[in-house]
Amino acid sequence: MKSYSIQEINEVINGVIYGTTSQSITATEQLEKATTSEISFIGNKKYEKYWSTSNASIAVVNEDISIEPGENRAFIKVKNADLAMSQILALFAPPAPIFHTNIHKTATVDETAIIGEGAKIGAGCYIGPKVEIGSNSTIYPNVTILDESTVGNNTVIWSGTVVRERCHIGNDCIIHPNATIGADGFGFRPCSEKGLVKIPQIGNVIIGNGVEIGANTCVDRGKFSSTILGDGCKIDNLVQIGHNSKLGKFCIMAGNSGLAGSVTLGNGVIIGGSASIKDHTTIGDGAVVGAGSGVICDVAAGKTMLGYPAVEARDALKQWALLKRMVCDTKK
């Protein structure tokens, strides 16, 4: 079992210790559930009230926290408790699943594939012709990577993921279980003779460096060019990214949100959970789309949009307030 003193923990997060305790820490936990051997955190002043009833001996707290730690308890004050806790969680993280051999005997690796130094490929994987896997990347069991696709260095692809042909994933990415990269885009056209005619989707997907894609998320291939996710994008579980969409750097998409085809997101765009974006829409740098909103037209950089159909946040709040008053008036 891992165990750290408060001084050893503070060497990692470089905060300021207030109070004293000799208690060794063996795990992390939220305030309400923590035991004396577990460290917790207070990232907002509104949670100060829970400290008096918590059993935690140590908490990582923001600098603006005003309460005292108490007897045989201590705080480590930092500028950002959330970021500091991410470092502490890494200290206590359990080891990754074990590979007894770099390439499992049941994996099928085409003879033309190029596997980088230190790369690991788990049981039941299929690595197709002319695929390239970068150095120190990890492909967990039952992953399929089809012809001419590439995976960069230090990338992790979890079980059940399918990477279709000619798709490209960058360095330091994480693809969570059962994601699908490069399935056909949703393209059909009505035909009087044949009903709905499928439009061939012959493009691909290009994923930048440092991208994380959640479980059961789908990134469709382009119709005749590329669907692109820029460096540092973070995509939640159960997200749909339609064909030929282009995401700038460091975009965030929360669970159950979706982009229709040919949507363009600027850098740093945030899409809330269950939000949906109409096809051929452009959302500018730093814009925010609230949870459950539906965007049907272009959004300027820096704007916050709410509602369905989405309008600027202050207008949406005015509309909701007016509607509430109207409903209340009808009840009188």
Side-chain angles (χ1 to χ4, degrees):
M1 178 183 292
K2 297 179 180 179
S3 178
Y4 300 93
S5 69
I6 188 171
Q7 290 79 15
E8 289 172 325
I9 291 172
N10 194 43
E11 287 177 6
V12 175
I13 62 176
N14 196 29
V16 178
I17 297 173
Y18 287 82
T20 59
T21 181
S22 58
Q23 177 66 52
S24 294
I25 299 301
T26 60
T28 58
E29 187 53 272
Q30 63 190 65
L31 278 174
E32 297 94 321
K33 296 181 179 180
T35 66
T36 55
S37 63
E38 295 172 325
I39 187 171
S40 192
F41 78 110
I42 304 175
N44 190 296
K45 288 178 69 67
K46 68 181 181 180
Y47 298 113
E48 289 180 355
K49 59 187 178 183
Y50 298 113
W51 178 245
S52 62
T53 57
S54 175
N55 291 319
S57 297
I58 304 171
V60 177
V61 302
N62 284 339
E63 293 175 339
D64 63 350
I65 295 299
S66 57
I67 58 175
E68 295 297 322
E71 185 178 356
N72 196 30
R73 305 176 87 188
F75 290 154
I76 305 176
K77 289 192 175 183
V78 294
K79 289 184 178 180
N80 190 314
D82 290 314
L83 290 178
M85 278 305 294
S86 71
Q87 296 173 282
I88 295 171
L89 286 166
L91 283 179
F92 291 100
I98 295 172
F99 280 76
H100 295 292
T101 181
N102 279 2
I103 300 178
H104 195 275
K105 63 181 180 180
T106 63
T108 299
V109 180
D110 190 88
E111 62 182 9
T112 62
I114 299 173
I115 310 301
E117 183 178 359
K120 296 178 175 62
I121 300 173
C125 289
Y126 175 80
I127 309 299
K130 299 182 180 179
V131 167
E132 296 183 18
I133 307 294
S135 300
N136 300 311
S137 286
T138 302
I139 313 299
Y140 281 102
N142 300 315
V143 168
T144 297
I145 304 177
L146 294 177
D147 311 30
E148 300 180 32
S149 292
T150 62
V151 176
N153 301 326
N154 307 306
T155 284
V156 176
I157 302 181
W158 287 92
S159 298
T161 294
V162 175
V163 180
R164 286 272 308 268
E165 61 276 15
R166 304 185 308 282
C167 292
H168 305 291
I169 300 172
N171 303 322
D172 303 299
C173 294
I174 302 173
I175 313 296
H176 288 281
N178 298 312
T180 300
I181 310 300
D184 283 0
F186 192 65
F188 300 89
R189 289 295 179 269
C191 172
S192 58
E193 296 178 354
K194 298 181 180 180
L196 293 175
V197 174
K198 180 177 176 64
I199 306 299
Q201 308 289 300
I202 64 172
N204 68 346
V205 174
I206 299 175
I207 295 174
N209 300 321
V211 174
E212 186 159 347
I213 295 177
N216 294 294
T217 281
C218 298
V219 184
D220 290 347
R221 69 196 309 108
K223 180 166 62 177
F224 35 62
S225 55
S226 300
T227 301
I228 299 173
L229 277 63
D231 293 348
C233 287
K234 308 301 180 186
I235 312 299
D236 200 357
N237 303 331
L238 297 166
V239 170
Q240 163 66 26
I241 297 176
H243 61 209
N244 294 104
S245 289
K246 292 178 172 56
L247 282 65
K249 295 181 179 180
F250 306 111
C251 294
I252 295 173
M253 293 186 65
N256 286 302
S257 60
L259 308 180
S262 300
V263 170
T264 299
L265 304 185
N267 297 326
V269 171
I270 298 174
I271 307 295
S274 298
S276 54
I277 316 299
K278 180 182 176 295
D279 59 302
H280 297 275
T281 299
T282 296
I283 298 180
D285 294 351
V288 177
V289 177
S293 299
V295 175
I296 61 173
C297 58
D298 291 352
V299 175
K303 297 291 186 181
T304 297
M305 308 294 287
L306 295 175
Y308 206 103
V311 296
E312 285 195 51
R314 56 183 162 184
D315 293 331
L317 295 174
K318 289 177 183 177
Q319 291 174 9
W320 297 343
L322 179 60
L323 181 60
K324 183 177 180 180
R325 287 197 298 270
M326 292 172 62
V327 171
C328 290
D329 288 344
T330 60
K331 292 181 178 180
K332 292 180 180 179

